[in-house]
Amino acid sequence: MPELPEVETICRRLAPLVDGRVLSALDVLDEKWCSPLSPDALRDAVEGRVIARLWRRGKYLVWECAGEVFLLMHLRMTGTVLYDAPTQTPYVRVRLGLDDDHVLSFCDPRRFGTGELVLGRPALEEFFAARLGVEPLSDEFTSEHLFALTRGRRAPIKALLLDQRRIAGVGNIYANEALFRSAIHPLRIAGTLNRRQAGALREAIVASLRAGIDAGGASIDDFRHPDGVKGAFQNEFLVHGRAGEACDVCGGLLVKFVAAGRGTYACEHCQKRPRRRRTH
Ligand SMILES: [Zn+2]
């Protein structure tokens, strides 16, 4: 599933190719993509507009068009955006034509990806404020910020990291990697972290996301760059998907279990499992 580094990778590669171009055609082949908005209504709103800027917020790809018209793409499980995809490319749900005759194809085998229309910058700010917390690669994401997020939280730290309303863009892979890097067990109750641990976790989140971006994202299954090339971060995973392999730090066996409803990988030598709390 594409997370912040994968969406950032798509954004960085596409932006130079689309910024300043006219979005000359929007062809929605699967109307579920923009439901409840109709494909016709969406087309009327964006077609013929200049793409002022393509950017990212959390896991959203934001097509900022002239006149404060925003097309928000969420890739969900299997979405990817290809630039001039081969003609036989399967699972294309949407095509965006540019005035220089290049075509972007939104491919999405499982069809969970969405397209949403937001009009005006205040509405955009409201949209994100209701759904997304701090950007983890921004200056706002300090150790103090993360420490404050954990206060009073009785959920496992992993659940907090996956909650988009608290930290935007971190998903299962980068949560697993960051918790390992900071030697914090995924089931640790968030509110029990001390300041030092919150600081270490903040550093680890930033380091994991930056490593993912530097490697062009992770391609476990469907994720591709706009030119169809896979990312390489899956070759650098410290724990994710590596149950039964040796920990790079201590040589112990990495394990898999479920935390926050997701497949979770850890080294329980390096990341000490919290003791079960007494009920009285
Ligand atoms: Zn270890």
Side-chain angles (χ1 to χ4, degrees), residues 30-42 114-117 131:
D30 176 2
E31 59 185 39
K32 179 184 169 220
W33 178 71
C34 57
S35 171
L37 197 64
S38 75
D40 285 348
L42 186 56
T114 54
E116 288 173 88
L117 180 69
R131 291 166 179 79

Side-chain angles (χ1 to χ4, degrees), residues 96-109:
L96 292 85
L98 304 176
D99 61 339
D100 59 3
D101 293 333
H102 290 284
V103 177
L104 299 154
S105 301
F106 179 65
C107 304
D108 186 17

